[in-house]
Amino acid sequence: MAELSAHPRLSPQGDGEVQVRNVPAVVSDYVKSTGDTNGAIKAYLMERNLNFRTLSELRDKGWKNPAGDEYFAKQRHRADNSDDEQALRFFDMMKRVGQTVHRATGAFNIHAQPGEPTAILDMCMAPGGFLDVALACNPEAHAKAFSLPPEKGGHTVLIPPRPNIAINLVDITMLAADMDVETIPPEHPDACEFLARQFAPEDAFDIVICDGQVLRTHHREAYREIREPARLLFTQLALGLEHMKPGGTMLVLLHKIESWRCVLLLRTFSAFAHVRLFKQKGPHAKRSSCYLIASNVQPRHRDAQEAVRAWKMLWKVATFGTEEEYCAAVQKLEPGVEDVLGDFGETLLGLGNRVWETQAEALGRAPFVNGERAWRPGQTGSPRVVRN
């Protein structure tokens, strides 16, 4: 059973003003005392959403139990050391997830005029489960796909070869020319690794899949470790949105949607797209991951174009700047958390409710969260612990 949250597209505020409303005093007090944006968001959600409160309690109990660490450590070990049979199972699982996403959201539907060519972009494709489903829904479409080479720690490409798929085995975080950086400092540790332009100006796609995440098996320079998740996300979002057709759909993998980074991302997309969140029951339900489905994307909207410019700038600073320079660039762009919760808090509650409910239900049944639990979504209070 799929879980889906939706909210209509928000209209931009007039004259650039942010209208702050209904922000609990606890948020203001928390920010003043700690300066912690994630903590302020948590305080706001804890006060207003039962499912988030329940999930937070379960997370706290799970983190205190070494069995939870062992459970996720085993999952990471299997992912990092998979054989051919396990890799094929992962490919099949991702196809099933993609099919579930599509049944629940129609994410892979392309609304094109008869005879109009259609195209799909997959920014981090391997093993290829999502792209396989997207092409099954749109057999006439052409696909452009990127994937980290296996010799650098990437997944093996398992999608069957097709004449309408162009696969580029490259590290997309090194697409300097496409990210508008033409001159590379010769002293940079990766000076020889940056890539020439991979996109033509006219490249435009109906569907863009951005579900890449940093792989522990990826061999990379030490300077990249701290900022690699940001560099990967900025690359996917900037190039995906820049080359999207008006009215198209973007699918983005997110983790912990109540984090400051994700809240800002959801707020950004809500200005130029119809935003929904999807979290599947079953595989990965215990984790905080979910999918952003942004449909009817308007890439020529002023806010969309500003977002592309900002993501490219942040990628540049994260790649060539110091940690201090990167932090300063991020802080310069970010609004205040009170303003964000004032104009987007109610929307966040609507988007996140089912996601938090689904994860809470899965964690509530996990044996490493203090034993087996007899609990149902929506039940008041914490899940009841049934000890053996």
Side-chain angles (χ1 to χ4, degrees):
M1 176 67 179
E3 296 297 342
L4 184 65
S5 301
H7 196 278
R9 185 175 72 84
L10 301 180
S11 299
Q13 298 288 342
D15 300 323
E17 293 184 1
V18 177
Q19 307 212 350
V20 182
R21 62 182 186 281
N22 299 328
V23 180
V26 66
V27 173
S28 299
D29 294 342
Y30 195 100
V31 175
K32 290 175 183 176
S33 62
T34 69
D36 180 1
T37 51
N38 285 320
I41 295 169
K42 182 176 180 179
Y44 176 92
L45 298 175
M46 289 284 284
E47 184 176 277
R48 292 187 165 208
N49 190 276
L50 171 61
N51 286 322
F52 183 80
R53 287 200 301 273
T54 301
L55 175 60
S56 296
E57 292 171 7
L58 291 168
R59 284 173 173 169
D60 289 342
K61 292 177 181 178
W63 288 334
K64 293 174 184 176
N65 189 342
D69 295 334
E70 182 180 352
Y71 171 85
F72 288 111
K74 287 181 178 179
Q75 282 197 333
R76 291 191 293 270
H77 179 78
R78 285 195 297 268
D80 295 346
N81 300 276
S82 60
D83 55 24
D84 291 346
E85 182 180 350
Q86 290 169 324
L88 185 59
R89 284 203 295 267
F90 177 55
F91 174 62
D92 290 337
M93 182 194 76
M94 292 309 298
K95 285 201 296 185
R96 291 194 296 273
V97 173
Q99 290 162 352
T100 306
V101 169
H102 180 62
R103 283 196 299 269
T105 69
F108 298 133
N109 287 332
I110 295 178
H111 306 287
Q113 297 298 320
E116 180 183 352
T118 54
I120 300 169
L121 173 63
D122 195 334
M123 292 297 295
C124 294
M125 181 266 295
F130 271 34
L131 183 58
D132 191 73
V133 175
L135 286 171
C137 296
N138 304 281
E140 302 301 319
H142 287 266
K144 186 182 187 75
F146 294 90
S147 197
L148 185 68
E151 61 269 21
K152 290 190 175 182
H155 294 300
T156 302
V157 175
L158 295 176
I159 187 171
R162 302 181 191 180
N164 58 336
I165 304 178
I167 299 176
N168 305 271
L169 294 179
V170 300
D171 178 355
I172 65 168
T173 69
M174 309 306 282
L175 296 179
D178 288 296
M179 295 296 282
D180 295 341
V181 175
E182 300 292 346
T183 303
I184 307 298
E187 69 276 8
H188 193 279
D190 277 325
C192 297
E193 298 295 324
F194 292 100
L195 300 167
R197 195 169 296 278
Q198 304 290 309
F199 289 89
E202 65 272 15
D203 285 348
F205 302 91
D206 301 274
I207 296 171
V208 176
I209 303 170
C210 302
D211 66 339
Q213 52 189 331
V214 175
L215 299 178
R216 291 176 294 273
T217 53
H218 181 195
H219 315 301
R220 53 187 176 265
E221 292 285 342
Y223 83 92
R224 296 170 62 175
E225 291 303 319
I226 296 177
R227 300 192 290 269
E228 193 69 0
R231 293 181 66 248
L232 180 58
L233 181 64
F234 295 147
T235 306
Q236 294 181 82
L237 295 178
L239 298 181
L241 182 55
E242 183 177 40
H243 292 280
M244 164 137 283
K245 291 181 184 179
T249 299
M250 286 187 73
L251 186 149
V252 183
L253 176 65
L254 301 178
H255 296 274
K256 209 166 186 182
I257 57 169
E258 66 275 10
S259 69
W260 179 233
R261 175 180 64 95
C262 284
V263 171
L264 290 180
L265 184 63
L266 291 169
R267 182 174 179 256
T268 296
F269 268 93
S270 293
F272 53 81
H274 175 74
V275 170
R276 292 169 290 171
L277 293 177
F278 170 87
K279 183 171 181 64
Q280 181 185 6
K281 294 185 176 182
H284 302 155
K286 298 181 186 68
R287 296 182 176 273
S288 65
S289 57
C290 69
Y291 291 98
L292 160 64
I293 313 296
S295 56
N296 193 27
V297 177
Q298 300 302 319
R300 297 169 188 163
H301 190 285
R302 180 189 63 186
D303 291 341
Q305 293 177 341
E306 289 180 356
V308 170
R309 286 193 291 269
W311 292 329
K312 286 188 175 185
M313 184 274 289
L314 290 172
W315 175 89
K316 181 178 180 180
V317 179
T319 302
F320 300 102
T322 64
E323 185 67 18
E324 291 75 17
E325 290 170 334
Y326 175 69
C327 290
V330 169
Q331 291 171 3
K332 184 177 180 180
L333 288 176
E334 287 182 349
V337 65
E338 293 179 3
D339 292 343
V340 170
L341 291 175
D343 71 13
F344 192 68
E346 292 298 322
T347 302
L348 176 63
L349 288 165
L351 287 168
N353 185 55
R354 285 290 186 88
V355 174
W356 299 318
E357 179 185 40
T358 301
Q359 188 185 3
E361 181 182 12
L363 280 178
R365 293 173 177 169
F368 60 80
V369 184
N370 258 338
E372 298 292 341
R373 297 173 178 279
W375 175 78
R376 297 181 305 278
Q379 179 176 318
T380 303
S382 301
R384 180 170 59 89
V385 177
V386 181
R387 298 195 180 276
N388 296 326

